[in-house]
Structure formats: structure tokens, C-alpha cells
Amino acid sequence: MDHHFRAGANGKLEGLDDKYYFGRRPNGFYIPRYRNLFGDKRQYLRGFGYQGGAGREGWGRAVAELGVGGAFKDAMSMPGGWTIGATAFGEMLPNHNNKVSIDQTKKDKWGMPVIAIDCAIGENERAMRRDMQVDLAELLNACGVKDVGVYDAGYFPGQGIHEMGTARMGRDPKTSVLNSHNQVWDAPNVFVTDGSCMASAACVNPSLTYMALTARAADYAVNELNRRNI
Amino acid sequence: MTDNDIGILDTPEMITRREAVLRVSALLGGVALIGSSAFITGCRTEKTSTAGEAFTADDIAYLDEIADTILPTTSTPGAKAAKTGAFMALMVRDAYSPEDEKTFRDGMRELNDASTEKNGVPFIAATPQQRLALLQALDREQFTLSEQRKAEAKKRSDEFLSEKQQAAPAPTATTATKISDQPPKGYFRMMKELALLGYFTSEIGMTQAQRYVESPGRYDPCIPYDGKPAWAGHA
């Protein structure tokens, strides 16, 4: 699993040319998930959040504008108009067809078999990507943003860099790799605490969860060591 | 091997500049630059010189003049002062696909031919007015194409938004892309993009044409605009 993203909307804000900012904003804005919650029901399961920002265009707009020469250079050195936009990050459902196995046909340059990774988004993700665009366009329009357009820049697994799954935590060693302490069922002195342990992905950035799970597992491991259990 | 060949690609100054460019090109307001997939992944194309040899000193001088026509000295120094020609050559050699590099190279020849035809001299010997006229004509061409594609993208976006919600999940994503289409790959578009990128990420471009503050120390989200140049990005 990963988070599929690169779909959203953007537009222009008018009437604010007399305003600017100073310094560097440390982050953008975040809109938490609201779909399939509180009685809302869509044709897909789970949902997405938005990550976005606003600001005045810089010289980057020059690429798309008509002009060459001195006046053009001076104009592009000034701040441009205000724009606002966001990208949605959506949940990818767990799927047994998304898996990692040993590739029996290919070896690396040391003679070891390489990994075969099968991973693709499915119908649920594709249906969600529609709302990811349409919802934000509606929101921006309601806020008076002009020239609102949606985009879907395409996505393949791994682009979200939030890889999760393949060494799931679970209650049954027949259907999972790790117990509830991130401990490998078949090798109690091995703990796996990164995204691999996740049984589902949600739509929120996962690193803090990995860190919390790691702290928890390390604490458990130390206690087990002290009790001579591992 | 001249200075303008492999040596210049690996000087620390160029590598740092490349890092800045990688960051900047990801923030270009949604407009995808030609070759930007290579910029962003930082991949060095493992290509041999399919489009010919390295850029010579003459090539770089020529590119300097093209860039300086697009972005001349005004109250702030222009693209030649910022050594934009060398930057353009670096990016074409290091980040463009072989096909795009060929388009660029052919374009340099075409521009010279156009200048000889119209003014009797190659670009580098033409007057500033003659050069400007040539580039303005090319600019109008690429802008018209670009506007057409923007209009098409907007139309797709509007159609997508007005489609009725389907009862079942859509089997394929009907993608309405407003941004991130590859722009039309004309050589003048390439030259203009690289000149802008090279200039506005150079020391002159960031500290003289724009206002550069290394460590602002605070963030003021909404202040009156004083009419001065834009804040430069982080170096």
C-alpha cells in the first residue's frame, strides 16, 4: 500500500494585489478526511485528506507568459498574482494481489534472486480520485476563487513514498508476519516497526505512527530481554 | 576537452546550483518544464553525445546572447552577466533526453539561419533590435501554441466537473489535467525556459533582480505590498 495522490484543484485569488508576505511559511494547510464519515456515503470506501498552499506567483509564471526583453524581465522580477491549490492524499485499500515475492527468473549481479513487487491501485482508488478533484473545485469556487481547474497528474505506487504493508501485524501467525508487539512470529528476537507492519493505510502521513510503534516495540523488547524471554 | 565540457559539469558551484534548480523546478506553479522529469529525479542521463559534441565556447557565447536578448540588462544585470549560456548548455547536456537535445541543437542552427536570411548576418552579429525582433516572433508562436493547450485543458477540466456522478465507481480515471501536461516542445520554448530558470536562480537573479533574505527569522503572512521585487526562493 501507499497513498495515492497527485489529484486536486487550484485557482486564482483576485483583489489582493496590495498584499504580500515576508519570510517563509513552514507549512501549507491541511484538510482532514470528511468523506465516508458522519453519515456520508460514497461509492468508494474510506477517503482522503488535502495538503495545499497559497501564495503569489514568482518568476515561474514567466514560462507561460508572452514576452521577451527588458520590460518583461523587470515585470517577472515582481511578484505575480495570488494562487491557491491543494493535492489530495487518498487511502489505498489492502489487497492480497499487491504483494512482494521472490522472483524465480531474475538474479542480481551477486547471483541472489531479486524481489518481485506486484502493486497497483484498483477501482476503489480510481473512484476516489474523482471526488479528490471535484470536492476541492467545489470548495474553491465557494470561497470565491477564480479560474478553478482540476487535475489528475497520474499516480503509480511508490510515488507517495508512504510504502506500507507486506509484513502485516495480526493475531494469527497463519495470516500475518508480526504479533501485536511488531515481533516476527517465527523469530522472536526480530522486530519490524516500519510501514511494513501496517494492515491498512488510512490517508494520513504515517511516519509519526512508525515512530510511536518503534518506541513501543523497543520498550517491549527491552523488557523481554530483561526477563530473558528473548 | 574544453572548459565548457565535462569539467564544468562537476565543479562544486555547478552542483550546488543544480540542487537549487531541482528544488525550484518542483515549485514552478504547476507548469512542467521540458526535461523536468530528469531535473526532479536528479538522474544523470547515461547518454553518449547522440546530438553531437559538447557545447563549444562559441555555442555558449551564442546562448549567452540569446538569453541576454530575452533577459537583458535593465536597472539590474542581465542573463549574460549571470553566465546563463553556460547554464543552458549544462541543462541540455545533463538533463534533456537525446531527442530534446537534438531539437535544441537544431533550433540553434535554425535561429542562425533565420537571422542570416532576415538580416544578412548570424544571430551573434545582429543588432539588439534585430535579435529582439527574431525572438519576439518565435515567442509569439510558442505562446499561441501554449495558449491553445491551456484552453484545451481548461475545457477538459470543465467537462469533467460537469459530468454527472456515476452510480458505480468509474472503471478508469477520466483525468482532466489542468497542469502537468508536457508543454509543446519547440526549441524556442526550451531556450526561454532555460534562460528564465538559469537567470532567476543565479546569484544576480536572486540577489539583484529579486530580493534575497537568507534567514528571515519570522513569518508575516499578510503585509501591505510595497511594489518592490519579489522575494527570491531559498538558495
Side-chain angles (χ1 to χ4, degrees):
Chain A
M1 301 174 287
D2 184 15
H3 290 135
H4 64 110
F5 68 119
R6 292 158 54 89
N10 48 44
K12 298 183 166 90
L13 295 157
E14 289 177 357
L16 293 166
D17 290 347
D18 59 339
K19 297 277 189 280
Y20 201 17
Y21 37 82
F22 174 77
R24 301 194 189 94
R25 193 178 183 193
N27 57 3
F29 57 78
Y30 187 79
I31 302 178
R33 175 184 155 211
Y34 51 89
R35 282 300 185 196
N36 286 318
L37 289 170
F38 317 118
D40 175 63
K41 184 99 175 62
R42 309 301 289 160
Q43 322 96 312
Y44 53 85
L45 300 170
R46 306 292 291 171
F48 53 89
Y50 287 109
Q51 306 185 10
R56 293 192 72 154
E57 289 190 294
W59 61 266
R61 71 192 190 280
V63 165
E65 293 213 4
L66 182 69
V68 290
F72 174 69
K73 186 192 103 188
D74 288 341
M76 294 301 116
S77 305
M78 299 293 149
W82 284 89
T83 59
I84 184 170
T87 289
F89 272 67
E91 179 163 352
M92 212 171 134
L93 296 183
N95 182 345
H96 285 289
N97 293 319
N98 289 340
K99 58 188 186 291
V100 171
S101 50
I102 293 178
D103 191 325
Q104 303 293 352
T105 63
K106 271 201 203 107
K107 294 209 189 326
D108 65 18
K109 62 185 181 190
W110 299 282
M112 301 299 291
V114 299
I115 289 289
I117 301 177
D118 283 292
C119 191
I121 59 172
E123 274 185 40
N124 200 71
E125 286 78 34
R126 280 189 286 272
M128 195 189 293
R129 286 177 88 75
R130 198 199 144 73
D131 270 2
M132 282 156 75
Q133 300 172 70
V134 171
D135 282 4
L136 187 59
E138 194 184 314
L139 190 155
L140 293 177
N141 276 312
C143 291
V145 175
K146 302 283 184 265
D147 198 22
V148 173
V150 297
Y151 66 89
D152 183 339
Y155 164 82
F156 56 79
Q159 275 187 303
I161 56 172
H162 291 166
E163 287 86 348
M164 289 172 277
T166 74
R168 285 199 296 278
M169 189 189 275
R171 299 191 202 288
D172 184 349
K174 291 205 261 312
T175 56
S176 60
V177 175
L178 310 171
N179 65 17
S180 59
H181 301 287
N182 292 79
Q183 196 178 21
V184 177
W185 290 109
D186 299 331
N189 60 333
V190 180
F191 292 79
V192 179
T193 64
D194 71 347
S196 326
C197 73
M198 309 288 271
S200 65
C203 61
V204 295
N205 296 58
S207 301
L208 289 178
T209 302
Y210 303 162
M211 289 188 222
L213 287 169
T214 303
R216 180 175 167 273
D219 180 63
Y220 177 78
V222 165
N223 286 333
E224 286 292 277
L225 257 175
N226 288 337
R227 290 192 209 109
R228 305 267 195 271
N229 287 338
I230 57 172
Chain B
M1 253 196 226
T2 68
D3 272 351
N4 303 312
D5 204 333
I6 306 299
I8 208 170
L9 299 180
D10 289 306
T11 58
E13 176 194 76
M14 277 306 192
I15 289 169
T16 309
R17 177 80 157 287
R18 203 183 305 164
E19 293 298 324
V21 162
L22 288 174
R23 265 179 267 148
V24 163
S25 30
L27 300 170
L28 279 178
V31 179
L33 287 194
I34 292 166
S36 60
S37 55
F39 299 4
I40 287 166
T41 58
C43 286
R44 246 196 114 122
T45 45
E46 291 283 339
K47 56 184 209 227
T48 52
S49 46
T50 58
E53 317 72 31
F55 286 87
T56 63
D58 284 344
D59 287 335
I60 299 208
Y62 176 23
L63 291 174
D64 263 340
E65 296 305 327
I66 293 173
D68 212 54
T69 307
I70 300 172
L71 301 165
T73 297
T74 53
S75 54
T76 56
K80 186 157 68 170
K83 299 196 173 47
T84 304
F87 175 86
M88 291 166 74
L90 166 69
M91 294 308 262
V92 171
R93 285 280 285 167
D94 204 41
Y96 271 23
S97 68
E99 299 76 32
D100 289 345
E101 183 175 350
K102 180 166 189 311
T103 303
F104 189 90
R105 286 290 210 163
D106 290 346
M108 286 171 74
R109 271 186 288 275
E110 265 182 57
L111 178 57
N112 253 342
D113 292 345
S115 180
T116 308
E117 203 186 302
K118 192 159 176 238
N119 307 313
V121 289
F123 190 87
I124 206 154
T127 67
Q129 294 78 4
Q130 287 171 332
R131 293 176 186 181
L132 190 63
L134 279 166
L135 295 194
Q136 276 171 333
L138 286 169
D139 188 43
R140 166 120 340 251
E141 254 179 54
Q142 71 86 15
F143 179 73
T144 304
L145 274 172
S146 174
E147 287 290 285
Q148 264 170 21
R149 295 183 103 254
K150 254 172 44 181
E152 283 161 23
K154 184 77 172 65
K155 186 157 166 274
R156 282 200 307 271
S157 176
D158 290 341
E159 280 170 3
F160 180 77
L161 285 171
S162 64
E163 271 169 28
K164 288 210 187 68
Q165 275 288 332
Q166 280 138 25
T172 52
T174 322
T175 60
T177 15
K178 183 177 192 228
I179 63 166
S180 78
D181 267 2
Q182 270 299 315
K185 287 192 179 193
Y187 73 84
F188 183 68
R189 169 111 191 179
M190 293 175 175
M191 288 173 176
K192 188 173 175 181
E193 282 182 359
L194 289 177
L196 285 163
L197 191 59
Y199 179 73
F200 282 108
T201 57
S202 70
E203 185 174 348
I204 286 175
M206 289 184 79
T207 62
Q208 298 190 52
Q210 301 170 98
R211 285 182 288 175
Y212 182 70
V213 181
E214 168 68 39
S215 299
R218 68 177 194 278
Y219 178 66
D220 293 335
C222 187
I223 54 175
Y225 173 51
D226 57 9
K228 296 215 181 87
W231 303 117
H234 203 344

